[in-house]
Amino acid sequence: MFNVEKGCKRAFFILQKIIKRKDYYYFKGLKKNDLIIYDDIFPHPVSGFRLEELTVLLTEFEKSKIIISSKSYSVLKSSISDNKKHIETFVHSNKDFKRKLLFRKGLININAKLFYCIFINNIYENLYWLEKYNIPFVFTLYPGGGFQMNDELTNSKLKRVLSSTLFRKVIVTQSITRDYLLKNDFCNQDKIEFIFGCVVPQNSLIKNLASKKYYSQGKSTLDICFCAAKYMPKGIDKGYDVFIEVAHALSKKCDFVQFHVIGDFDQNDIDVSEIKENITFYGYQNFDELGRTFQKIDIIISPNKPFALDVGSFDGFPLGTVVEAALNGVMVLLSDELHQNTTFVNNDQLVIIKSDSKSIENVMLTLIENPNKIIEIAINGRIKFQEVYSNKVQMKPRIELLKQYIN
């Protein structure tokens, strides 16, 4: 006769061994959610787009939960121990969400009508469990997060994920991503949802810029910034080396220009001793700090380069930090070597540049001679960015898409 008590103890012992080895174990419990979300950085305050998108989804779907892992905190040069502080801050502002937070440790009920995450690495990592328990999924294929074009490992992950019988839809944010999936026959057109851009915190759209001053209208300095994370020496992929070349060149001609660097760069990355009086380093900034810094900036320069970090690696257009700057009334100069711009009017709402210091210097000198143009493009740009990055344009189609596969 089967001994129930012994059987339960043995099952518990086996599960303990599994949990100890893998640190977590998904199971299909009796309670079924409408939506299970997974993320490996949420709710880090530096990642504003994650905070906005995933918080909106948790709000919209009553029967939803988010599985939190801090395994990618190192990407943002943060300690995993910071995750606890960030969660406490998040819960303090969103008390109703405390019951919606699951931690990828121990036993986790993954039973849901639909699973959602962002980035190829995250969905690939969870695919085994989704197929084990027959849970359909949708994901967003942002640039980064393991997605590199013409890369063998990336292609194998895409093929594996997009051929799964549980795959329902992939959201892409760049036309080049959509074209890459179709060109390589990873999936059919009807499996792709194209939503240009990314989600941004909506309070960025309603910033009070009444006190913002621009060069020649309220202040005598022209303040130019660079804002990005460092993923390689000299930040070549983001064009930090180009930015510093521009800074050196302009400093010799215009003593009123000040340069500002936001992100994990400092004076040791590239020699700036000759312009040390004209350059300020801020390190990483959270959302509120970033907004305050952008209030005093006239122009942001983003001369990023595709395929510099690795073969097939590229950034979305524009970078999230560029979006945030534009929404704070900063004029945008950015490169677009892959021709990803399908939305903005060049020289009216922003200025597209080459990732070349001399050409950027020439553009800057022209703007310095016509400072009203800086203000005009900044204002036009802000209006367009507010439109493109509103939740009506960004989140509404995402929510409607997920509801299709939940109802």
Side-chain angles (χ1 to χ4, degrees), residues 244 247-248 251 259 271-279:
I244 294 301
H248 277 97
S251 293
F259 301 92
D271 183 17
V272 292
S273 56
E274 291 184 7
I275 56 171
K276 63 181 180 181
E277 302 301 325
N278 301 86
I279 190 166

PDB file of all heavy atoms in Angstrom, residues 244 247-248 251 259 271-279:
ATOM      1  N   ILE A 244      34.049  63.077 -27.688  1.00  0.00           N
ATOM      2  CA  ILE A 244      35.202  63.718 -27.057  1.00  0.00           C
ATOM      3  C   ILE A 244      36.048  64.449 -28.100  1.00  0.00           C
ATOM      4  O   ILE A 244      36.583  65.540 -27.836  1.00  0.00           O
ATOM      5  CB  ILE A 244      36.051  62.687 -26.288  1.00  0.00           C
ATOM      6  CG1 ILE A 244      35.252  62.127 -25.106  1.00  0.00           C
ATOM      7  CG2 ILE A 244      37.350  63.314 -25.794  1.00  0.00           C
ATOM      8  CD1 ILE A 244      34.799  63.162 -24.096  1.00  0.00           C
ATOM      9  N   ALA A 247      34.305  67.608 -28.656  1.00  0.00           N
ATOM     10  CA  ALA A 247      34.500  68.480 -27.496  1.00  0.00           C
ATOM     11  C   ALA A 247      35.848  69.193 -27.567  1.00  0.00           C
ATOM     12  O   ALA A 247      35.949  70.405 -27.301  1.00  0.00           O
ATOM     13  CB  ALA A 247      34.392  67.666 -26.208  1.00  0.00           C
ATOM     14  N   HIS A 248      36.888  68.461 -27.919  1.00  0.00           N
ATOM     15  CA  HIS A 248      38.213  69.075 -28.046  1.00  0.00           C
ATOM     16  C   HIS A 248      38.221  70.140 -29.147  1.00  0.00           C
ATOM     17  O   HIS A 248      38.787  71.241 -28.969  1.00  0.00           O
ATOM     18  CB  HIS A 248      39.270  68.005 -28.350  1.00  0.00           C
ATOM     19  CG  HIS A 248      39.782  67.298 -27.144  1.00  0.00           C
ATOM     20  ND1 HIS A 248      39.296  66.072 -26.734  1.00  0.00           N
ATOM     21  CD2 HIS A 248      40.737  67.642 -26.239  1.00  0.00           C
ATOM     22  CE1 HIS A 248      39.939  65.686 -25.639  1.00  0.00           C
ATOM     23  NE2 HIS A 248      40.811  66.619 -25.317  1.00  0.00           N
ATOM     24  N   SER A 251      36.068  73.265 -28.161  1.00  0.00           N
ATOM     25  CA  SER A 251      36.652  74.004 -27.031  1.00  0.00           C
ATOM     26  C   SER A 251      37.743  74.957 -27.496  1.00  0.00           C
ATOM     27  O   SER A 251      37.978  76.009 -26.878  1.00  0.00           O
ATOM     28  CB  SER A 251      37.221  73.030 -26.000  1.00  0.00           C
ATOM     29  OG  SER A 251      36.189  72.300 -25.384  1.00  0.00           O
ATOM     30  N   PHE A 259      30.467  70.750 -21.771  1.00  0.00           N
ATOM     31  CA  PHE A 259      30.145  69.381 -22.159  1.00  0.00           C
ATOM     32  C   PHE A 259      29.763  68.565 -20.925  1.00  0.00           C
ATOM     33  O   PHE A 259      30.353  68.719 -19.855  1.00  0.00           O
ATOM     34  CB  PHE A 259      31.330  68.750 -22.892  1.00  0.00           C
ATOM     35  CG  PHE A 259      31.723  69.510 -24.131  1.00  0.00           C
ATOM     36  CD1 PHE A 259      32.699  70.502 -24.084  1.00  0.00           C
ATOM     37  CD2 PHE A 259      31.090  69.263 -25.336  1.00  0.00           C
ATOM     38  CE1 PHE A 259      33.042  71.233 -25.208  1.00  0.00           C
ATOM     39  CE2 PHE A 259      31.418  69.982 -26.475  1.00  0.00           C
ATOM     40  CZ  PHE A 259      32.396  70.976 -26.412  1.00  0.00           C
ATOM     41  N   ASP A 271      41.489  60.649 -22.599  1.00  0.00           N
ATOM     42  CA  ASP A 271      42.138  61.823 -22.016  1.00  0.00           C
ATOM     43  C   ASP A 271      41.339  63.101 -22.295  1.00  0.00           C
ATOM     44  O   ASP A 271      41.091  63.456 -23.452  1.00  0.00           O
ATOM     45  CB  ASP A 271      43.550  61.966 -22.586  1.00  0.00           C
ATOM     46  CG  ASP A 271      44.317  63.131 -21.962  1.00  0.00           C
ATOM     47  OD1 ASP A 271      43.893  63.607 -20.888  1.00  0.00           O
ATOM     48  OD2 ASP A 271      45.334  63.547 -22.547  1.00  0.00           O
ATOM     49  N   VAL A 272      40.918  63.765 -21.231  1.00  0.00           N
ATOM     50  CA  VAL A 272      40.178  65.025 -21.362  1.00  0.00           C
ATOM     51  C   VAL A 272      40.864  66.140 -20.558  1.00  0.00           C
ATOM     52  O   VAL A 272      40.225  67.136 -20.207  1.00  0.00           O
ATOM     53  CB  VAL A 272      38.711  64.861 -20.896  1.00  0.00           C
ATOM     54  CG1 VAL A 272      37.937  63.961 -21.841  1.00  0.00           C
ATOM     55  CG2 VAL A 272      38.652  64.320 -19.457  1.00  0.00           C
ATOM     56  N   SER A 273      42.146  65.958 -20.270  1.00  0.00           N
ATOM     57  CA  SER A 273      42.863  66.928 -19.439  1.00  0.00           C
ATOM     58  C   SER A 273      42.859  68.330 -20.040  1.00  0.00           C
ATOM     59  O   SER A 273      42.809  69.329 -19.306  1.00  0.00           O
ATOM     60  CB  SER A 273      44.308  66.454 -19.196  1.00  0.00           C
ATOM     61  OG  SER A 273      44.981  66.228 -20.424  1.00  0.00           O
ATOM     62  N   GLU A 274      42.881  68.419 -21.379  1.00  0.00           N
ATOM     63  CA  GLU A 274      42.904  69.734 -22.025  1.00  0.00           C
ATOM     64  C   GLU A 274      41.568  70.461 -21.913  1.00  0.00           C
ATOM     65  O   GLU A 274      41.518  71.694 -22.068  1.00  0.00           O
ATOM     66  CB  GLU A 274      43.290  69.588 -23.496  1.00  0.00           C
ATOM     67  CG  GLU A 274      44.743  69.163 -23.708  1.00  0.00           C
ATOM     68  CD  GLU A 274      45.111  69.126 -25.183  1.00  0.00           C
ATOM     69  OE1 GLU A 274      44.283  69.562 -26.026  1.00  0.00           O
ATOM     70  OE2 GLU A 274      46.214  68.657 -25.505  1.00  0.00           O
ATOM     71  N   ILE A 275      40.494  69.731 -21.666  1.00  0.00           N
ATOM     72  CA  ILE A 275      39.171  70.371 -21.571  1.00  0.00           C
ATOM     73  C   ILE A 275      38.528  70.117 -20.208  1.00  0.00           C
ATOM     74  O   ILE A 275      37.309  70.200 -20.059  1.00  0.00           O
ATOM     75  CB  ILE A 275      38.230  69.869 -22.686  1.00  0.00           C
ATOM     76  CG1 ILE A 275      38.100  68.340 -22.643  1.00  0.00           C
ATOM     77  CG2 ILE A 275      38.719  70.311 -24.059  1.00  0.00           C
ATOM     78  CD1 ILE A 275      37.033  67.777 -23.576  1.00  0.00           C
ATOM     79  N   LYS A 276      39.347  69.820 -19.208  1.00  0.00           N
ATOM     80  CA  LYS A 276      38.813  69.425 -17.893  1.00  0.00           C
ATOM     81  C   LYS A 276      37.953  70.509 -17.256  1.00  0.00           C
ATOM     82  O   LYS A 276      37.064  70.211 -16.445  1.00  0.00           O
ATOM     83  CB  LYS A 276      39.946  69.024 -16.961  1.00  0.00           C
ATOM     84  CG  LYS A 276      40.939  70.133 -16.639  1.00  0.00           C
ATOM     85  CD  LYS A 276      42.043  69.607 -15.730  1.00  0.00           C
ATOM     86  CE  LYS A 276      43.052  70.710 -15.405  1.00  0.00           C
ATOM     87  NZ  LYS A 276      44.138  70.199 -14.532  1.00  0.00           N
ATOM     88  N   GLU A 277      38.188  71.768 -17.616  1.00  0.00           N
ATOM     89  CA  GLU A 277      37.385  72.865 -17.060  1.00  0.00           C
ATOM     90  C   GLU A 277      36.042  72.989 -17.766  1.00  0.00           C
ATOM     91  O   GLU A 277      35.165  73.715 -17.301  1.00  0.00           O
ATOM     92  CB  GLU A 277      38.158  74.192 -17.186  1.00  0.00           C
ATOM     93  CG  GLU A 277      39.509  74.191 -16.500  1.00  0.00           C
ATOM     94  CD  GLU A 277      39.414  73.915 -15.007  1.00  0.00           C
ATOM     95  OE1 GLU A 277      38.431  74.358 -14.385  1.00  0.00           O
ATOM     96  OE2 GLU A 277      40.330  73.250 -14.474  1.00  0.00           O
ATOM     97  N   ASN A 278      35.908  72.301 -18.880  1.00  0.00           N
ATOM     98  CA  ASN A 278      34.684  72.439 -19.696  1.00  0.00           C
ATOM     99  C   ASN A 278      33.838  71.172 -19.756  1.00  0.00           C
ATOM    100  O   ASN A 278      32.863  71.130 -20.510  1.00  0.00           O
ATOM    101  CB  ASN A 278      35.058  72.843 -21.129  1.00  0.00           C
ATOM    102  CG  ASN A 278      35.828  74.142 -21.196  1.00  0.00           C
ATOM    103  OD1 ASN A 278      37.049  74.132 -21.069  1.00  0.00           O
ATOM    104  ND2 ASN A 278      35.121  75.246 -21.370  1.00  0.00           N
ATOM    105  N   ILE A 279      34.220  70.164 -18.974  1.00  0.00           N
ATOM    106  CA  ILE A 279      33.482  68.899 -19.061  1.00  0.00           C
ATOM    107  C   ILE A 279      33.126  68.390 -17.669  1.00  0.00           C
ATOM    108  O   ILE A 279      33.925  68.495 -16.728  1.00  0.00           O
ATOM    109  CB  ILE A 279      34.292  67.839 -19.848  1.00  0.00           C
ATOM    110  CG1 ILE A 279      33.430  66.609 -20.158  1.00  0.00           C
ATOM    111  CG2 ILE A 279      35.569  67.458 -19.114  1.00  0.00           C
ATOM    112  CD1 ILE A 279      34.048  65.690 -21.213  1.00  0.00           C
TER     113      ILE A 279
END
